[in-house]
Amino acid sequence: MWDALERDTDGILQLGSMRDALQRLGFGSDQLRGRLVVDSPIVLAPHVVLDAGGAYRLAYSRRVDDFKRWIGVADAEIDAGLITPQSIRPALSPDEIQRLWSRDQRSAFAETDAAAHWYLFGRARDAAAYQRLLERLRGPFHAALFVLDELHVTSRGALTIEGLPTALAVRNVHIEPGGTVSSYTVLRADVEKITRSA
């Protein structure tokens, strides 16, 4: 269920205010609507959310700071103790990573990946030296942004999130025993309230 997201994937489940989540994603409070009932296996997709009355937007930017705002962790969230910062850090400087690409692409990719995780899920100010490298090697950035008032996963339901990095803002989530939510992509889920049936 949701418990496994942070353990098994690049997923963040953040409990908190919908107002903050909507503002971070660029949605108005009038777009917090719709009820998605998952009673069979489905993949989260724009038409699924729109058919349920929710909101969707494909976000695009050349700036890694925008990508961090959509799917990452804000420095303020770390500073306030709401989220533990990413501990993975690159062993090399941005210049060393850039030079490594011509000699050992596998190692360069791993170092770039570590820099991206540190920047997105740690304090950006601590990883600021990697900003230009990430924008040059990983940009442009895309994310799927979804907003729903309610998500209900029945005992037969299985919601799968895959594809583009995804931001999901849901006011109320209810998961029945046997219902599952799985992510196979980078996911940031902001939820105001989660309930589970006994």
Side-chain angles (χ1 to χ4, degrees):
M1 292 201 302
W2 286 93
D3 300 344
L5 286 177
E6 290 183 294
R7 243 190 0 259
D8 301 336
T9 67
D10 287 331
I12 297 170
L13 173 61
Q14 181 64 25
L15 294 173
S17 162
M18 277 299 99
R19 186 190 60 164
D20 295 342
L22 293 172
Q23 183 178 22
R24 186 175 48 75
L25 298 176
F27 286 95
S29 60
D30 61 322
Q31 293 174 296
L32 183 61
R33 59 184 187 276
R35 180 174 193 261
L36 176 59
V37 177
V38 179
D39 59 2
S40 64
I42 65 167
V43 174
L44 187 69
H47 72 277
V48 171
V49 171
L50 294 173
D51 287 351
Y56 162 80
R57 187 173 78 235
L58 175 63
Y60 165 89
S61 178
R62 294 187 178 280
R63 298 183 57 236
V64 70
D65 285 341
D66 290 334
F67 193 55
K68 180 178 176 73
R69 183 170 36 91
W70 304 325
I71 61 107
V73 176
D75 288 9
E77 290 174 305
I78 295 170
D79 294 343
L82 299 174
I83 293 181
T84 303
Q86 176 62 252
S87 60
I88 297 172
R89 294 188 174 154
L92 302 176
S93 73
D95 290 338
E96 291 169 323
I97 294 172
Q98 186 64 47
R99 287 192 298 273
L100 186 60
W101 276 99
S102 63
R103 297 188 323 270
D104 182 357
Q105 289 187 351
R106 181 177 293 192
S107 296
F109 183 85
E111 284 295 308
T112 304
D113 197 45
H117 275 80
W118 189 28
Y119 194 94
L120 295 170
F121 304 110
R123 288 183 181 91
R125 66 179 173 266
D126 295 341
Y130 295 89
Q131 180 178 358
R132 291 180 56 211
L133 175 83
L134 294 172
E135 289 173 346
R136 189 171 57 252
L137 296 177
R138 291 289 178 94
F141 304 95
H142 299 83
L145 312 179
F146 297 94
V147 175
L148 281 164
D149 186 56
E150 185 177 348
L151 172 63
H152 184 113
V153 182
T154 70
S155 60
R156 296 183 319 268
L159 178 64
T160 301
I161 303 162
E162 61 185 20
L164 288 174
T166 299
L168 175 62
V170 184
R171 184 189 310 269
N172 295 305
V173 173
H174 181 76
I175 302 174
E176 295 178 12
T180 62
V181 177
S182 303
S183 175
Y184 299 97
T185 187
V186 177
L187 170 68
R188 163 118 189 197
D190 287 274
V191 177
E192 197 164 271
K193 181 181 176 188
I194 295 179
T195 57
R196 295 190 174 124
S197 298

